[in-house]
Amino acid sequence: MSSGQQQVRQLWRDFLNALAPPAGLRESRRGFEELCARFPIPESASIRPVDAAGVPCLLVSADGAPSNAMIVWAHSGGYVLGSAHGYRSFAATLSEATAADVLLVDYRLAPEHPYPAALEDFLAATRWAMSSYRPEQVVVGGDSAGGGLACAAALHLANNEGPNPAATVFLSPFTDLTLSGRSMDERETCDPVLDRATLAGMGALYRQDFPAKDPSVSPLFGDFSKVPPMLVLVGTDEVLHDDATRLAERAAAAGADVRLLVGEGQTHIWPLFATMLPEGQAAIEDIAEFVRARVPSSPATHV
């Protein structure tokens, strides 16, 4: 295990240790923001608030990025933690690598705002992005629960209304709220972040009485026959490993253009740690290569 991987695991352990009982939701949210605040933000990056059809967002652009595309991103946090503010460093790194603007969607969180609030917000922001740029210059993505959210949104667009974005990127996605993946138990001992009980609790706060197998909360069970090209990334040391690999398998079986990247020895959402983890930066470059291959190179119109 590299020193960078050890450092990432220690950061996750420190975060989880700080959340031991009697810590509650407020402390968990603050702790996650403090974890994200450890990642540096380039002074040259442009970060400004945007109202995307009534949804608060942050628009992040790296210095000198020609903005050939807009990536609409849903942050992690199990539908109950996280914010656009906490993801500024990640967005700046992603923008620099992809030469795209990154729209961080500050979707509403459960339990105050359960399903379908987050999905409604992300869909509204995505529609706004595709009306501000051309749809073929928009990429939809997210990580962890944000990956599941972005995937559910992509399925909704493909199967109900269109148009589709140019491509999708799902990083360590939480796609199965029924928790039926074998890795949920088989990889629990090597995952320093998540386990079945944690995911069950977060998923229940989000969906409440809504059926766990419905594709709008568990996109693994959706129809992928019309979805745009898809990149799925997951680490070997994740309980969500099978949420990602089964997603790629189901999409490929439906005829989708899908690429799966498995990070050997990597933990949950390891590209989030790109500023300190070489393998995380390498994964960011893989995302950039995928985006550049599927988005026109002509500059997009700024919003």
Side-chain angles (χ1 to χ4, degrees):
M1 186 183 302
S2 69
S3 60
Q5 289 173 311
Q6 293 174 347
Q7 185 179 7
V8 167
R9 289 171 185 263
Q10 187 59 53
L11 285 173
W12 279 126
R13 283 193 290 267
D14 291 345
F15 167 66
L16 294 174
N17 288 338
L19 303 184
L25 184 57
R26 179 181 300 178
E27 291 79 13
S28 298
R29 287 174 173 170
R30 183 172 62 245
F32 192 60
E33 293 300 316
E34 290 173 351
L35 172 65
C36 292
R38 301 186 64 158
F39 309 137
I41 303 169
E43 292 184 4
S44 59
S46 168
I47 303 172
R48 62 184 177 92
V50 171
D51 182 326
V55 180
C57 300
L58 289 178
L59 186 63
V60 181
S61 304
D63 182 40
S67 300
N68 295 329
M70 174 176 280
I71 301 174
V72 186
W73 197 265
H75 64 77
S76 66
Y79 296 107
V80 301
L81 312 175
S83 70
H85 183 271
Y87 262 58
R88 292 169 299 161
S89 175
F90 174 80
T93 301
L94 186 60
S95 175
E96 181 176 12
T98 59
D101 294 328
V102 178
L103 187 71
L104 294 171
V105 183
D106 226 356
Y107 57 87
R108 287 169 290 174
L109 299 177
E112 297 93 336
H113 304 284
Y115 172 85
L119 182 59
E120 290 174 344
D121 288 352
F122 193 78
L123 279 169
T126 301
R127 294 186 192 106
W128 177 86
M130 291 196 294
S131 66
S132 301
Y133 284 20
R134 298 193 304 274
E136 61 266 27
Q137 291 178 303
V138 173
V139 175
V140 168
D143 57 312
S144 193
L149 177 60
C151 188
L155 284 173
H156 178 86
L157 291 171
N159 296 321
N160 295 284
E161 57 183 82
N164 280 332
T168 58
V169 178
F170 308 126
L171 168 58
S172 301
F174 183 20
T175 65
D176 176 13
L177 271 64
T178 73
L179 310 179
S180 64
R182 293 175 59 184
S183 61
M184 199 63 59
D185 300 310
E186 293 177 349
R187 305 191 184 222
E188 182 176 351
T189 58
C190 61
D191 189 327
V193 190
L194 296 172
D195 55 30
R196 176 183 290 276
T198 299
L199 291 168
M202 288 178 163
L205 289 175
Y206 174 56
R207 66 177 181 84
Q208 297 197 3
D209 295 330
F210 196 74
K213 200 170 183 178
D214 191 287
S216 57
V217 296
S218 292
L220 176 67
F221 304 109
D223 175 4
F224 292 91
S225 60
K226 301 177 183 178
V227 295
M230 178 187 305
L231 174 64
V232 183
L233 300 91
V234 71
T236 57
D237 294 6
E238 297 197 55
V239 295
L240 289 176
H241 177 272
D242 288 8
D243 279 43
T245 57
R246 289 183 298 159
L247 172 65
E249 290 167 359
R250 286 180 63 91
D257 174 6
V258 57
R259 182 184 180 198
L260 173 67
L261 294 178
V262 180
E264 185 64 36
Q266 301 304 323
T267 59
H268 192 50
I269 55 176
W270 78 101
L272 180 64
F273 302 85
T275 56
M276 63 182 68
L277 182 66
E279 298 94 331
Q281 183 60 48
I284 293 289
E285 295 298 332
D286 287 329
I287 295 172
E289 180 183 356
F290 175 81
V291 170
R292 288 193 298 264
R294 286 158 179 83
V295 175
S297 58
S298 58
T301 302
H302 282 279
V303 295

